Amino acid sequence: MLVLVAPGQGAQTPGFLTPWLELPGAADRVAGWSDAIGLDLAHYGTKADADEIRDTAVAQPLLVAAGLLAAAELTTKVGPGAFGAAAGHSVGEITAAAYAGVLSDADALSFVRTRGLAMAEAAATTATGMAAVLGGDQDVVVAHLEKLGLTPANVNGAGQIVAAGTMEQIAALEAEKPEGSMKVVALKVAGAFHTHHMAPAVAGLEKAAAALSPADPALTYVSNKDGQVVTTGADVVARLVGQVANPVRWDLCMETFAALGVTGIVELSPGGTLTGLAKRALKGVPSVALKTPDDLDKAAALVSEHAV
């Protein structure tokens, strides 16, 4: 089974959307999305600097738009039905939900716009952030984070756990990393996502979710809440709402990929983070990250060779 995955916040880099907008029809599609959600996606994806696209209210719609654009181009190359499963990391779950047919592209972008604004507002109340802990035993790392008052917000597997909390707590972690870990790396995000600090954003998302008419997934949809396969659109949307204030368990998603018999993984733009984790946790499973349109042929070759 081939799995399509979509990255979360922090994967964005200045100008990453530029080559995608050069594809036929892409600029018009993005312009339409921009008008619909009131955000100039083309500007932020091509001309904005790192600080501008670090803004949660900008980064989240930008990432989903880039993922949808890359998914459409990939489908043109390999045809519909090439992938048997889809999953997303954090905000990437919205991209995955659209690819799986749960949400339309328009609904996905409207929902993520609400999500980004609500989470940015929640993040503004307290100075918070996130940092990746690389290496170390998972139980030891989690216990150390909890001692410092931090939340293991992303348990990513492959020796990576992302801590989230106040900036003071992050500073304490940088000064005293967990026993056995190699290093602590601050992330390019503007808040303690997937923790109780994001609880104020949930109410707004519940209201936005009530306006959606989700369909059941057209392929296997793996939730980052617990790595479980979700079979109804209503459950997918409920999980999209709740995940903003709860940890991401990407380690369990990868365990589910293995149990499903994954034969290859393609990561949507701006790819690299999730395929990097897969190379360490799912050894021997081929993968392609769609960093630019030049990678589409590599992805098509992987699909041709490893589809089951």
Side-chain angles (χ1 to χ4, degrees), residues 243-283:
Q243 58 132 247
V244 300
N246 289 283
V248 170
R249 293 301 304 266
W250 194 251
D251 59 331
L252 300 181
C253 289
M254 291 194 291
E255 289 180 10
T256 298
F257 299 162
L260 291 170
V262 59
T263 56
I265 296 173
V266 174
E267 182 179 0
L268 294 172
S269 176
T273 301
L274 301 182
T275 49
L277 291 170
K279 285 175 183 176
R280 297 192 293 276
L282 298 169
K283 295 185 184 300

Side-chain angles (χ1 to χ4, degrees), residues 102 214-216 230 232-239:
V102 176
D216 293 341
V230 180
T232 71
D235 194 3
V236 170
V237 170
R239 286 165 176 256

Side-chain angles (χ1 to χ4, degrees), residues 85-134:
H89 191 286
S90 187
V91 72
E93 274 206 318
I94 299 175
T95 312
Y99 181 79
V102 176
L103 301 176
S104 67
D105 288 356
D107 281 349
L109 284 161
S110 175
F111 186 77
V112 75
R113 179 61 166 152
T114 300
R115 184 186 194 269
L117 289 168
M119 292 177 71
E121 184 177 353
T125 62
T126 306
T128 57
M130 304 178 82
V133 180
L134 306 181

